[in-house]
Amino acid sequence: MKRTCFNTELNEKNVGQEVTLIGWVSKRRNLGSLLFIDLRDRSGIIQVTVNEGVEAPDIRNEYIISVTGKVSLKEKENPNLKTGKIEVIASKVEVINTAKTTPLIIADETDALEDTRLKYRYLDLRRPVMQSYLDIRHKIKLATHEYLSKEHFIEVETPILTLSTPEGARDYLVPSRVHHGKFYALPQSPQIFKQLLMIGGVERYYQIARCFRDEDLRADRQPDFTQIDIETSFLDQDQFLTMMEGLIKEIFKKTINYDVKLPLRRLPYKEAMDNYGSDKPDTRFEIKLQDVKDIFANSEFGGFKDVEAIKAIVVNNVASITSRKVIDELTLEAKKFGLGGLSVIKVENDELTGSFVKFLSEAEKSALKAKLGFANDDIIIIAAGKYNRVCPLLGALRVKYAKQLGLIKPNTYDLLWVVDFPLFERDVENGAITSTHHPFTRPRDEDLKYLDTDPTKILSYAYDIVINGYEAGGGSLRIYNQDVQKKIFTVLGLTDEDIKRKFGFFVDAFQYGTPPHAGMAFGLDRLTMILGGTDNIRDVIAFPKNLAAVCPMSLAPNSVDEEQLKELGIAITDYEK
Ligand code: ASP
């Protein structure tokens, strides 16, 4: 059973050649005198034909077989297969191993529930589409290693058992057996270590790094995930972003052969929020948020009085399908964003209609028309209230409509930088000041004066790369002055004692010749999703957790032996049975 090549390495040029292939039986059709087998290996599927007279053992789906035979042209091409023009006419078929009937259909289209797929992940991974995700992931890493090495970066590993790294999520903790009552934290990112590597003279670092964050899971979030983590010394923002654009261009080229046009657009955070209601705007479609506050300066409508923001979006060609029920659903959406409701106006037969129209004066109607330029069958959705609620709501609605109406062309990529983020933001719930990125982000020099007076006014040297509405990566220039770093910690509510205990070693290091430095991290999983064309992060991770943070295959997390707990000095008081 000496395999001569992978299935999809064969094409018309190999016709007449004798080959030996090994793989799994994906499908078989027995026509009595003739047996057709779809043979699958990692590269893909090829058809094998076993003619009468050739001894064919009993073969079932997912058996592993080896086939020796001649490559031959097919009479009729199968356009669904990469090898669709050819087949292998078997002269010998051997069974290498048998298989039980599998609990899920092993094909790109499978009707298995996701938890079944995760429970039998080793079978799910045999599906060609899953193999393609693994392949893209590998190619991204390879392109990264090649590009960054060429730019004089070196890969350095940083600890997994470490202490808390502040990225704003909850830590995963690991109890110490040797020091009872003490815990390591798993890194939320290598942030502190990569900065220390800059102080350590490494100048250009990267790492394909595992990161761990204990937060609520979503379609694009996993508790353990992978970053392409990067840090450099002595580059300004422009030089650094240009270098990173080179990396992203190379990744797109080498994985999906797509040419990204450089330089990428740099969109200030404020403009992103004003126009798209999101700091990760999808700009592949046109619907934009429009400011209509001035139009309603003298409005009689109670909901528009003394509000911070009044904004509108226009959605074309949906008035006729916007029923009362749809409007009720939109209102529910607004409530989720903390707003009382929203106003929906339809344009029908050149008239504005809907229950809200009675609040509009003629002057307001014509001002709206002039500003928004709507047409028949459009709807106008207006939201009023706090800027930080109005923008995200309309931002979410523009995306929802774009998806629903198919406004996004498939296989198009929209890449941009969002820059000039605020350094701090206020927690919507409790008003506390938190870092927008993380506490090591450098404030803009001209805004340092607000540190003592109004820190939320400060903009930062932070940037995110946004691809098709996903935050695919982000980073910043870093603080490299001990006093500024301590000051930021203080604004974030840390006492001198806290700073010393949590970050003492870090701020101390700043005293010994710290280079100006900058960096960022790309989400490897998200990049793979985007390039692989899936919106489920679990598809691009070989062994992921489900939305309850459980691995349905290994059943982690699980309970442990009393003995192990004793060694760790841990007693569980509140068991979840
Ligand atoms: N550590 C940051 C993050 O994980 C990225 C960076 O600032 O380099 O988001």
Side-chain angles (χ1 to χ4, degrees), residues 82-323:
K82 204 174 153 197
T83 56
K85 286 203 171 108
I86 53 168
E87 61 185 335
V88 172
I89 310 290
S91 53
K92 194 166 164 206
V93 180
E94 272 178 293
V95 171
I96 293 173
N97 209 348
T98 58
K100 268 173 59 173
T101 303
T102 54
L104 57 112
I105 297 171
I106 300 183
D108 283 353
E109 294 295 322
T110 180
D111 56 2
L113 293 177
E114 198 181 20
D115 257 22
T116 310
R117 288 177 47 207
L118 292 178
K119 179 165 177 201
Y120 299 99
R121 189 58 153 185
Y122 44 88
L123 296 179
D124 190 40
L125 286 174
R126 284 189 201 161
R127 295 164 57 226
V129 66
M130 297 300 286
Q131 294 285 332
S132 79
Y133 298 142
L134 292 181
D135 193 54
I136 285 187
R137 192 179 174 102
H138 169 70
K139 287 198 174 110
I140 297 173
K141 292 208 266 185
L142 198 59
T144 303
H145 285 301
E146 280 171 3
Y147 177 87
L148 291 178
S149 307
K150 202 173 68 211
E151 294 288 347
H152 311 288
F153 285 78
I154 56 169
E155 185 170 29
V156 182
E157 286 141 278
T158 52
I160 295 291
L161 292 179
T162 178
L163 42 71
S164 188
T165 45
E167 297 282 0
R170 218 175 275 119
D171 288 324
Y172 278 101
L173 297 175
V174 179
S176 162
R177 177 183 57 81
V178 188
H179 307 281
H180 280 186
K182 296 205 167 153
F183 295 83
Y184 301 97
L186 303 183
Q188 292 187 32
S189 86
Q191 186 63 36
I192 289 181
F193 289 102
K194 66 174 173 174
Q195 291 193 238
L196 289 168
L197 286 172
M198 293 305 106
I199 303 176
V202 170
E203 294 203 26
R204 292 190 185 183
Y205 143 97
Y206 80 104
Q207 180 181 193
I208 311 280
R210 301 304 294 275
C211 305
F212 308 86
R213 296 182 194 178
D214 187 359
E215 29 185 13
D216 292 338
L217 304 186
R218 291 196 304 232
D220 64 351
R221 234 190 225 166
Q222 277 280 296
D224 49 325
F225 61 98
T226 310
Q227 288 186 342
I228 302 171
D229 193 45
I230 297 172
E231 198 73 12
T232 61
S233 296
F234 309 124
L235 295 183
D236 64 23
Q237 177 163 320
D238 207 46
Q239 290 169 314
F240 181 68
L241 295 192
T242 303
M243 189 180 267
M244 293 301 102
E245 289 178 356
L247 170 61
I248 208 77
K249 186 177 173 74
E250 188 124 323
I251 289 175
F252 268 75
K253 186 72 195 169
K254 291 208 170 141
T255 52
I256 57 164
N257 196 22
Y258 180 91
D259 288 303
V260 174
K261 301 257 171 320
L262 299 182
L264 301 183
R265 184 150 71 109
R266 294 174 191 181
L267 185 69
Y269 167 85
K270 179 80 172 65
E271 262 180 58
M273 290 311 281
D274 276 349
N275 293 323
Y276 303 102
S278 168
D279 60 0
K280 40 181 186 296
D282 191 334
T283 56
R284 285 175 297 174
F285 56 96
E286 255 311 299
I287 308 172
K288 273 191 184 172
L289 277 57
Q290 313 243 27
D291 192 338
V292 290
K293 191 167 174 214
D294 285 352
I295 297 178
F296 296 110
N298 302 314
S299 172
E300 291 302 304
F301 180 57
F304 288 176
K305 283 219 181 349
D306 304 322
V307 289
E308 205 172 84
I310 310 178
K311 288 186 159 263
I313 55 170
V314 177
V315 187
N316 303 132
N317 307 321
V318 289
S320 46
I321 53 168
T322 304
S323 59

Side-chain angles (χ1 to χ4, degrees), residues 240-441:
F240 181 68
L241 295 192
T242 303
M243 189 180 267
M244 293 301 102
E245 289 178 356
L247 170 61
I248 208 77
K249 186 177 173 74
E250 188 124 323
I251 289 175
F252 268 75
K253 186 72 195 169
K254 291 208 170 141
T255 52
I256 57 164
N257 196 22
Y258 180 91
D259 288 303
V260 174
K261 301 257 171 320
L262 299 182
L264 301 183
R265 184 150 71 109
R266 294 174 191 181
L267 185 69
Y269 167 85
K270 179 80 172 65
E271 262 180 58
M273 290 311 281
D274 276 349
N275 293 323
Y276 303 102
S278 168
D279 60 0
K280 40 181 186 296
D282 191 334
T283 56
R284 285 175 297 174
F285 56 96
E286 255 311 299
I287 308 172
K288 273 191 184 172
L289 277 57
Q290 313 243 27
D291 192 338
V292 290
K293 191 167 174 214
D294 285 352
I295 297 178
F296 296 110
N298 302 314
S299 172
E300 291 302 304
F301 180 57
F304 288 176
K305 283 219 181 349
D306 304 322
V307 289
E308 205 172 84
I310 310 178
K311 288 186 159 263
I313 55 170
V314 177
V315 187
N316 303 132
N317 307 321
V318 289
S320 46
I321 53 168
T322 304
S323 59
R324 185 69 245 168
K325 185 164 165 264
V326 172
I327 295 178
D328 288 346
E329 279 163 13
L330 290 173
T331 308
L332 275 183
E333 198 73 23
K335 298 219 156 107
K336 274 195 229 151
F337 282 79
L339 290 173
L342 32 72
S343 315
V344 181
I345 306 169
K346 291 188 191 183
V347 189
E348 292 172 309
N349 305 322
D350 296 322
E351 289 281 331
L352 298 185
T353 64
S355 57
F356 178 68
V357 174
K358 61 177 173 289
F359 296 106
L360 293 177
S361 69
E362 283 312 311
E364 285 167 346
K365 281 186 194 170
S366 28
L368 272 182
K369 171 86 188 165
K371 174 113 200 191
L372 305 178
F374 41 75
N376 272 328
D377 206 25
D378 290 353
I379 62 166
I380 306 154
I381 303 176
I382 306 176
K386 280 220 174 336
Y387 179 88
N388 283 344
R389 298 183 197 254
V390 166
C391 294
L393 164 66
L394 293 179
L397 290 183
R398 72 180 279 281
V399 172
K400 180 177 129 108
Y401 272 111
K403 287 194 177 145
Q404 183 186 322
L405 301 171
L407 302 181
I408 302 169
K409 279 205 225 96
N411 303 325
T412 50
Y413 299 94
D414 169 62
L415 293 94
L416 56 106
W417 293 104
V418 175
V419 297
D420 301 342
F421 279 85
L423 185 67
F424 298 112
E425 56 194 16
R426 274 195 197 280
D427 190 296
V428 211
E429 306 290 302
N430 60 19
I433 285 192
T434 55
S435 296
T436 307
H437 273 82
H438 51 57
F440 314 115
T441 304

